[in-house]
């Protein structure tokens, strides 16, 4: 960490800690376990305390790539944390449960409301995962399997065991899951335009805000991105689409649809801003993008799981507003 010049030093964690590895962390590398356990501590410091021998596993020195086992006792030395992290520790996220679509001992699927980030960061103090952890203090393990934009509602998976997290993330990485969204776009989407295969490039604006754009297929910075589109319903001068993503790029659906001349209603980053203002006066208050269906193989049994989250009332009412 950067040295403190003047003032009080950043607070330290409370003395030496002895942690017993549970089944949910068994098999992890020691460095990865510590990075998760010592949130907010720079990775360079984590590796330093491992190399110096301050971290012990069953009273012995260990390497960063040591695999911890259930029942192992890990000694953690006191570490200094940033003032920002100390503030989070002293003022944790308010506990909150979310509508449950599916839950067992391995995985939790919730229907995330729009306007709630999935995790803290980038100017957001906390998100879904921090609130869930506060609401379920007895839960030994809760981690996001994937992400949704803050403005997007719908199905979000949370792993309750490390084995489930690894298995589900492998499925997402290998494109073995099915994720279908409902999106209302401006104009009449051509029924024969069913596949969008356009590379995307992520970049930052001058103020540090993240943006994404379509680039040429030979652009070295482009990431291949594939979106499947099906017309579900014509609604006045708009089209309700069923959108399935084959790749999980940042803002993929929003950018692909907008770049094809049909931005999502209410999208404040890539949308038709004049149209958004006009619709806001008619009561359309949010982006019309909803994670509607999700299909995956259960991480323990391998059985096919198919989930669905219906349109929330505020989006169902949009269809009535614009068709009237």
């Amino acid at each position: 960490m950067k040295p403190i010049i003047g003032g009080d030093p950043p607070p330290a964690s409370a003395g030496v800690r002895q942690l017993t590895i549970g089944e949910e962390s068994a098999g992890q590398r020691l460095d990865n376990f510590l990075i998760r356990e010592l949130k907010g501590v720079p990775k360079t410091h984590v590796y330093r305390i491992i190399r110096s021998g301050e971290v012990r596993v069953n009273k012995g020195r260990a390497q960063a790539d040591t695999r911890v086992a259930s029942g192992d006792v890990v000694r953690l030395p006191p570490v200094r944390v940033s003032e920002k992290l100390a503030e989070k520790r002293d003022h944790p996220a308010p506990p909150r449960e979310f509508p449950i679509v599916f839950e067992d001992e391995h995985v939790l699927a919730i229907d995330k409301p729009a306007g709630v980030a999935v995790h803290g960061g980038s100017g957001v103090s906390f998100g879904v995962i921090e609130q869930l952890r506060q609401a379920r203090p007895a839960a030994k393990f809760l981690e996001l399997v994937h992400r949704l934009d803050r403005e997007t509602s719908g199905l979000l998976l949370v792993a309750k065991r490390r084995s489930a997290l690894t298995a589900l993330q492998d499925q997402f990485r290998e494109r073995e899951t099915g994720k279908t969204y409902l999106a209302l776009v401006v104009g009449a989407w051509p029924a024969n335009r069913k596949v969008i295969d356009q590379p995307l490039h992520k970049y930052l604006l001058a103020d540090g805000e993240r943006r994404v754009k379509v680039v040429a297929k030979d652009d070295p910075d482009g990431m291949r991105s594939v979106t499947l589109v099906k017309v579900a319903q014509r609604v006045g001068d708009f089209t309700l689409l069923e959108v399935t993503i084959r790749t999980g790029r940042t803002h993929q659906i929003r950018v692909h649809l907008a770049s094809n001349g049909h931005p999502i209603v209410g999208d404040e980053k890539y949308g038709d801003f004049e149209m958004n203002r006009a619709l806001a006066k008619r009561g359309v208050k949010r982006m019309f993008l909803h994670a509607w269906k999700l299909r995956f193989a259960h991480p323990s049994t391998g059985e096919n799981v198919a989930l669905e989250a219906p349109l929330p009332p505020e989006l169902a009412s949009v269809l009535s507003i614009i068709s009237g």
Side-chain angles (χ1 to χ4, degrees):
M1 297 184 67
K2 294 180 179 179
I4 303 298
I5 302 176
D8 296 327
S13 62
V16 172
R17 289 190 290 159
Q18 305 283 345
L19 298 181
T20 301
I21 301 297
E23 290 184 5
E24 71 281 354
S25 298
Q28 260 196 298
R29 285 172 53 118
L30 178 62
D31 53 357
N32 291 334
F33 170 77
L34 293 180
I35 287 166
R36 180 177 181 273
E37 187 66 32
L38 301 174
K39 290 186 184 298
V41 175
K43 290 183 181 180
T44 52
H45 186 68
V46 170
Y47 286 103
R48 188 179 304 126
I49 60 177
I50 294 173
R51 287 195 304 269
S52 68
E54 293 175 82
V55 174
R56 299 272 173 153
V57 177
N58 300 329
K59 299 183 179 181
R61 294 178 71 116
Q63 304 299 316
D65 60 356
T66 296
R67 299 282 176 176
V68 294
S70 179
D72 282 352
V73 178
V74 179
R75 174 197 185 274
L76 296 184
V79 291
R80 298 214 173 270
V81 298
S82 67
E83 292 180 8
K84 184 176 181 181
L85 186 67
E87 177 71 15
K88 279 188 177 181
R89 182 185 60 195
D90 295 337
H91 299 88
R96 179 179 178 183
E97 287 281 2
F98 297 87
I100 296 172
V101 179
F102 174 88
E103 182 173 14
D104 62 14
E105 64 270 28
H106 300 275
V107 65
L108 166 66
I110 66 167
D111 188 353
K112 184 188 86 68
V116 181
V118 295
H119 59 76
S122 300
V124 179
S125 298
F126 56 83
V128 168
I129 194 65
E130 290 87 1
Q131 290 186 289
L132 274 176
R133 288 171 181 157
Q134 289 297 318
R136 299 179 175 214
K140 294 181 179 180
F141 186 91
L142 290 173
E143 288 287 353
L144 293 167
V145 174
H146 62 111
R147 286 161 173 74
L148 292 177
D149 289 346
R150 184 176 183 176
E151 303 90 345
T152 303
S153 56
L155 290 166
L156 180 67
L157 281 186
V158 176
K160 297 172 69 175
R161 294 188 178 185
R162 178 158 298 281
S163 57
L165 177 67
T166 302
L168 289 168
Q169 287 183 333
D170 285 346
Q171 288 185 50
F172 276 87
R173 190 178 303 110
E174 298 301 321
R175 306 175 192 173
E176 295 171 350
T177 58
K179 294 168 67 178
T180 301
Y181 295 70
L182 291 175
L184 185 70
V185 299
V186 178
W189 183 275
N192 62 353
R193 189 180 302 168
K194 298 179 179 180
V195 181
I196 305 173
D197 186 352
Q198 297 174 312
L200 296 176
H201 171 57
K202 185 163 54 176
Y203 64 100
L204 297 178
L205 299 178
D207 62 1
E209 189 172 353
R210 181 176 56 183
R211 283 288 192 278
V212 178
K213 63 181 178 181
V214 169
V215 295
K217 289 190 179 294
D218 59 355
D219 191 309
D221 295 322
M223 300 288 288
R224 191 184 182 199
S225 307
V226 180
T227 303
L228 308 183
V229 183
K230 176 183 176 183
V231 173
Q233 183 182 348
R234 305 286 186 187
V235 190
D237 297 327
F238 304 86
T239 309
L240 182 65
L241 301 175
E242 296 178 16
V243 184
T244 301
I245 55 174
R246 291 293 184 225
T247 52
R249 310 301 182 199
T250 300
H251 299 169
Q252 177 175 325
I253 295 174
R254 299 162 70 175
V255 176
H256 267 173
L257 298 183
S259 69
N260 280 266
H262 299 273
I264 296 176
V265 166
D267 189 341
E268 296 181 351
K269 288 186 176 180
Y270 307 101
D272 182 328
F273 307 123
E274 292 287 339
M275 178 69 74
N276 288 346
R277 279 194 287 269
L279 289 172
K281 293 177 181 178
R282 297 173 62 186
V284 180
K285 302 298 184 183
R286 56 157 289 200
M287 180 173 67
F288 201 119
L289 183 60
H290 178 70
W292 177 39
K293 290 184 177 181
L294 180 61
R295 176 186 50 77
F296 59 92
H298 191 278
S300 177
T301 66
E303 294 180 2
N304 186 57
V305 179
L307 306 178
E308 182 175 327
L311 274 179
E314 73 272 14
L315 291 188
S317 68
V318 168
L319 299 179
S320 299
I321 290 171
I322 64 175
S323 62

